[in-house]
Amino acid sequence: MATKMNQTNNQGPQFEVLTESQIEQIYASALDVLESVGARFHHEEALELFNNSEAVVTDKNLVRVPASLVERALRSYPRSIYLQGRNGKNQVRLVPNEVAYGTGSDLPFFIDRETGDRRSTSYKDVNDAARILDYLPNYEFHMSHGIVCDAPNPQTYDRHQYLAMLENSTKPMVLTSVDGEGLEDLWRIATTLVGGEDEFRLKPQFVAYIEPISPLNNDRTAVEKLLFAAEKGIPAMYTPCPSSGATAPATMAGMLVQSLAETLMAVALCHLKKPGMPLIMGGVTTVMDMHTTTYSYGAPELSLACAANTDISKWLGLRMFSTGGCSDSKTLDEQTAVEQMTSLFYAHLSGANLVHDVGYIGSGTIASLDSLVLNDELIGMVRKFCEGLNTDEDHLALDTIREVGPAGEYLTHEHTFEHWREWFMPKLQDRSDWDTWNTNNQKTMIDYLKEETDRILNEHEPEPIEPDQYKEIKKIVHEADERHS
Amino acid sequence: MEEKLGSISQTLIEGKADELQKQVQEALDGGATPEDVMNQALVAGMDAVGQQWKAGDMFIPEVIRSAKAMSGAMDIIRPKLSESGGAGSGTFVIGTVLRDLHDIGKDLVAMMMEGAGFKVVNLGIDLDAEVFVDAVKEHKPDILGMSALLTTTMPQMGEVINALKEAGIRDQVKVMVGGAPVSEEYAEEIGADSYAPNAATAVDKAKELLQA
Ligand code: B1M
């Protein structure tokens, strides 16, 4: 039989925002910023580390870094990172073009499912969100969907969030923390679960979420966390949150240059502290809405800049923490669906590794359990499309077409039976006819959504934590509360 | 003269700062009273800017350009107003509370207040209660504004209000609060005089406070 030569197949659609020469332009400009503008660091040890290197510190805390240091540093970071859940399962592999989804963090408000109103987020809400996340198959990692406002002390809310998530989920996590001490406690909890510091380095269960202050400013707590993560080999992302036109240039390219400079500063600093930590690139790069002043989570510019940023991350050999599935709408409505779906699509096409903020509504201020369930369905659709299609003999189906012939039918053919399950199966969408829909009380997606959320909350029982481990963890949280009481 | 004042309003709406200062000076030199320039030209101009912004005909960058121009014009008008015994728009002190580093929303409120003719003192971020108390003593503002973007730092706004009470100066100043997690109810709970969900409303509420 003849064989095929020089055949190229697409495993999924191909998508790029930037060409390599555009990436090189942006990178060179970012290096220029590092050398000529620099960034502020409000942290003694960081300044000392820079001072003892070929970087230049002037005006007390303004750091300028030569390209040579950045380039040397860049070579020392791992190109693949493996995360796992507390039971050793649910691995997430951060390798190029492998996309995982997760919630975003710390939303101060929650949509109450009884009243439909907005209220402040509680421990129980974070618990519920974690349980739902644990169940939903299209989410691979999670963050504390809301901020635990009823923690005994605002300075220890991070430990309570981790606890609430651990109680209900076996998926890997991305964690925010109050400061270096908070991160240390989170890390102690994880090392307890995984069996020690060295084991954690081999099988990290969480990524530390850390942010600079755009433009080009690094506060004490953020740097404290970065340095601790570098020392212990904790995976971490240093994720700029610039708003174009307010804290970054109004052009997407300018915003990308600035945020890349912010990222490369962390690349240099962590390398000086201790080479080799799993550092992840990030960015919630969006625009400030010029009518309302809102930091927009639904703007197409967010998707565009995030996808371009992902192109840059791949070129640099860093893994990418991106953004999608979020909306500016205050409730679940048409706007929510349109915005969430759009950003999911582009994030997926870009091949980002960890897509976060999925389910956000209210421009990053409101959490909704139903929104989480909605996005599971949306991600399913996106994943189906992005799989692309197979063109092997069996899928070209020439034999089947021959067998069925003109004016035949495929319903009863074995080939149909074998393949139709490759399709996307909607769970929350109504494809029925008018009459069936009428007799079924004219239910819409929102109705199906609410039923599904109820069902998961009622039925899903997460795998419990070992009682001994649970005791240890509670102790760490309790001690933190005591220290801060 | 009416024509001149109208043209000042127009320059303000267009946000031409240098031109505006020149025109204001000319009007004063030409015998217009500072009150007329203030009310019939500048305030009228900024009111129009505010209306166009709300209607979606003007956007933040344009509004801020006008606000900056207004601030420059006020530098000329303010001393003249106090000479003639008339009142300017008052003083507004603003800052972000302790352990909170979010600044862009606070800065926007500050700029819009300048646009409304306020003399604005922007204290910065991550500020101790003491800094607010000292600033009230030093600048004697009509309104003290506090911004908090985190549920964890919101309680600081209450601490500042308590510190003002302890210093015996709570009744000398109106307190306005804002920031994403803050609400009307929360503002009431901590004993603030006013709350605004965004910069545009903040200006309206500040004007109300001055009249109260
Ligand atoms: C005096 O009277 C008044 C009247 C009106 C007033 C007023 C005062 N002050 C404000 N207003 C009002 O008028 C302004 C103009 O219209 C408006 O101001 P805003 O500031 O709301 O509006 C701005 C123009 C645009 N909005 C913004 O710029 C804020 C956007 C979001 C995404 C945001 C950003 C950008 C940032 N953040 Co932060 N951040 C979020 C924000 C989510 C959100 N949608 O609010 C929020 C507020 N952050 C949050 C968190 C968790 C954090 N952030 C942090 C850091 C940052 C950045 C530095 C990265 C950056 C700020 C950069 C800067 N220069 O300000 C960290 C804390 C740092 C610290 N100690 O302060 C950190 C704790 C994350 C971490 N663990 O590291 C969440 C709050 C959680 C909580 N506890 O309540 C959050 C809701 C996002 C989220 N879901 O995670 C109104 O609120």
Side-chain angles (χ1 to χ4, degrees):
Chain A
M1 196 172 85
T3 50
K4 244 205 158 47
M5 272 304 298
N6 297 326
Q7 161 86 4
T8 52
N9 289 340
N10 270 351
Q11 182 75 40
Q14 301 298 302
F15 177 86
E16 263 165 14
V17 173
L18 298 173
T19 63
E20 185 164 13
S21 29
Q22 287 181 301
I23 296 174
E24 280 166 353
Q25 272 180 305
I26 291 172
Y27 177 65
S29 308
L31 290 179
D32 191 338
V33 170
L34 292 190
E35 292 183 339
S36 64
V37 183
R40 301 253 171 214
F41 280 84
H42 304 273
H43 192 278
E44 277 310 311
E45 190 191 346
L47 292 170
E48 214 175 289
L49 285 166
F50 280 124
N51 243 329
N52 294 333
S53 75
E54 61 261 53
V56 177
V57 182
T58 52
D59 191 26
K60 285 200 203 92
N61 57 19
L62 181 65
V63 180
R64 283 171 298 138
V65 173
S68 57
L69 171 56
V70 172
E71 302 240 303
R72 203 166 68 240
L74 271 172
R75 282 194 291 276
S76 72
Y77 290 97
R79 283 162 179 263
S80 53
I81 301 163
Y82 296 84
L83 305 172
Q84 62 168 29
R86 65 162 152 84
N87 60 1
K89 294 182 210 143
N90 294 322
Q91 199 181 60
V92 172
R93 306 187 306 172
L94 279 73
V95 296
N97 290 311
E98 201 157 306
V99 188
Y101 289 95
T103 42
S105 207
D106 294 22
L107 296 166
F109 297 108
F110 214 86
I111 298 288
D112 188 294
R113 298 194 71 244
E114 303 265 303
T115 64
D117 265 347
R118 184 188 90 153
R119 57 166 168 74
S120 82
T121 308
S122 68
Y123 187 87
K124 167 146 194 320
D125 296 327
V126 175
N127 242 293
D128 286 345
R131 197 139 53 92
I132 286 185
L133 251 284
D134 190 54
Y135 172 84
L136 292 171
N138 279 319
Y139 292 90
E140 284 79 17
F141 73 95
H142 61 116
M143 301 182 72
S144 175
H145 194 39
I147 183 141
V148 170
C149 296
D150 51 353
N153 188 309
Q155 285 306 104
T156 60
Y157 79 85
D158 45 358
R159 287 79 155 180
H160 289 271
Q161 291 186 169
Y162 193 19
L163 186 66
M165 290 192 285
L166 281 172
E167 280 171 356
N168 287 280
S169 163
T170 56
K171 291 182 179 173
M173 296 173 195
V174 174
L175 301 177
T176 61
S177 50
V178 173
D179 50 18
E181 185 198 313
L183 178 57
E184 181 166 358
D185 274 348
L186 302 178
W187 170 78
R188 280 174 59 212
I189 291 173
T191 53
T192 303
L193 289 167
V194 78
E197 196 174 326
D198 293 336
E199 286 292 337
F200 180 84
R201 220 171 275 125
L202 292 172
K203 294 179 277 186
Q205 299 190 340
F206 76 84
V207 182
Y209 175 98
I210 315 172
E211 316 160 313
I213 303 182
S214 304
L216 302 162
N217 199 5
N218 303 274
D219 69 288
R220 188 182 50 78
T221 49
V223 178
E224 190 173 283
K225 292 181 217 172
L226 258 187
L227 294 180
F228 184 76
E231 182 188 321
K232 298 296 182 188
I234 304 169
M237 63 224 8
Y238 203 51
T239 177
C241 303
S243 44
S244 187
T247 58
T251 49
M252 295 306 104
M255 173 161 63
L256 289 172
V257 168
Q258 183 186 294
S259 21
L260 183 56
E262 288 161 349
T263 302
L264 294 177
M265 270 291 176
V267 162
L269 175 64
C270 294
H271 179 75
L272 292 173
K273 174 72 179 174
K274 190 171 172 188
M277 76 179 286
L279 187 70
I280 297 167
M281 192 163 143
V284 184
T285 38
T286 189
V287 295
M288 185 180 82
D289 180 81
M290 289 301 185
H291 183 51
T292 58
T293 78
T294 296
Y295 180 91
S296 176
Y297 278 82
E301 289 83 1
L302 175 137
S303 293
L304 179 64
C306 284
N309 226 356
T310 304
D311 289 343
I312 298 170
S313 78
K314 285 189 259 185
W315 185 81
L316 288 172
L318 292 174
R319 301 288 65 87
M320 180 70 191
F321 178 64
S322 188
T323 310
C326 37
S327 170
D328 293 321
S329 175
K330 266 59 65 184
T331 178
L332 289 200
D333 62 0
E334 296 83 349
Q335 183 184 343
T336 311
V338 169
E339 292 176 348
Q340 291 182 337
M341 189 58 159
T342 306
S343 53
L344 284 175
F345 240 113
Y346 292 120
H348 202 105
L349 285 168
S350 75
N353 298 107
L354 298 171
V355 178
H356 86 304
D357 286 351
V358 178
Y360 264 21
I361 57 173
S363 312
T365 61
I366 307 175
S368 150
L369 296 180
D370 297 311
S371 175
L372 294 180
V373 176
L374 168 64
N375 275 271
D376 188 70
E377 179 95 342
L378 301 184
I379 297 167
M381 296 175 78
V382 170
R383 283 208 152 113
K384 180 67 235 173
F385 178 86
C386 292
E387 257 172 32
L389 52 82
N390 191 333
T391 52
D392 67 9
E393 294 284 316
D394 188 27
H395 284 80
L396 285 171
L398 252 185
D399 286 345
T400 314
I401 296 170
R402 259 186 214 111
E403 278 168 36
V404 169
E409 52 80 21
Y410 291 87
L411 263 175
T412 54
H413 200 284
E414 190 60 21
H415 188 268
T416 303
F417 201 74
E418 271 167 25
H419 288 287
W420 77 272
R421 281 192 178 276
E422 292 165 14
W423 303 349
F424 169 74
M425 295 280 287
K427 276 195 302 226
L428 308 171
Q429 294 160 61
D430 192 313
R431 292 179 177 173
S432 68
D433 61 86
W434 177 267
D435 288 318
T436 309
W437 178 68
N438 253 331
T439 39
N440 203 5
N441 299 321
Q442 305 189 341
K443 273 177 21 190
T444 63
M445 192 166 191
I446 299 267
D447 302 310
Y448 290 110
L449 203 54
K450 292 193 165 149
E451 285 172 11
E452 178 65 356
T453 309
D454 285 336
R455 189 189 68 77
I456 302 169
L457 285 173
N458 286 330
E459 291 177 9
H460 180 61
E461 303 219 353
E463 187 182 312
I465 314 183
E466 301 278 333
D468 287 351
Q469 286 185 333
Y470 189 65
K471 250 208 227 132
E472 290 260 322
I473 296 169
K474 282 283 264 202
K475 202 170 137 235
I476 296 171
V477 177
H478 182 69
E479 281 169 6
D481 284 333
E482 294 276 281
R483 267 198 315 270
H484 287 275
S485 66
Chain B
M1 184 55 70
E2 213 160 277
E3 202 175 299
K4 237 188 196 140
L5 294 179
S7 130
I8 290 179
S9 291
Q10 192 51 37
T11 308
L12 177 57
I13 293 168
E14 286 164 19
K16 296 179 181 151
D18 295 344
E19 175 74 21
L20 183 70
Q21 281 197 326
K22 214 173 90 203
Q23 285 182 352
V24 166
Q25 195 59 57
E26 275 168 16
L28 292 171
D29 293 346
T33 66
E35 283 77 12
D36 281 352
V37 177
M38 173 80 182
N39 296 325
Q40 289 172 37
L42 299 176
V43 171
M46 280 316 284
D47 281 350
V49 169
Q51 277 159 16
Q52 290 189 33
W53 175 22
K54 279 175 198 158
D57 295 331
M58 264 178 103
F59 292 87
I60 296 289
E62 294 139 9
V63 174
I64 288 176
R65 198 170 51 186
S66 296
K68 288 282 163 205
M70 174 73 174
S71 170
M74 284 306 290
D75 289 345
I76 299 175
I77 284 286
R78 203 175 283 117
K80 296 272 188 307
L81 280 175
S82 48
E83 267 169 37
S84 68
S89 269
T91 303
F92 182 78
V93 167
I94 188 169
T96 302
V97 297
L98 191 64
R99 282 195 287 273
D100 203 316
L101 308 171
H102 296 82
D103 63 359
I104 194 70
K106 178 254 310 161
D107 291 345
L108 268 165
V109 172
M111 289 177 215
M112 296 305 167
M113 291 295 178
E114 281 185 346
F118 279 85
K119 179 168 165 249
V120 173
V121 183
N122 189 340
L123 300 172
I125 54 170
D126 194 10
L127 304 171
D128 239 302
E130 226 181 274
V131 178
F132 286 102
V133 172
D134 289 348
V136 170
K137 286 182 185 160
E138 186 188 336
H139 303 288
K140 306 213 174 348
D142 302 270
I143 303 171
L144 171 67
M146 286 184 274
S147 183
L149 265 279
L150 303 170
T151 52
T152 52
T153 58
M154 267 180 354
Q156 267 298 315
M157 302 193 300
E159 299 289 319
V160 173
I161 292 177
N162 287 339
L164 289 173
K165 280 184 196 152
E166 263 163 44
I169 50 175
R170 174 64 186 93
D171 52 357
Q172 292 172 20
V173 67
K174 299 283 185 200
V175 174
M176 180 191 286
V177 295
V182 184
S183 62
E184 190 83 59
E185 300 84 66
Y186 190 79
E188 222 160 89
E189 208 176 286
I190 60 170
D193 300 301
S194 183
Y195 155 80
N198 55 51
T201 316
V203 170
D204 296 343
K205 293 277 184 94
K207 287 181 184 160
E208 278 170 30
L209 281 179
L210 280 195
Q211 274 152 22

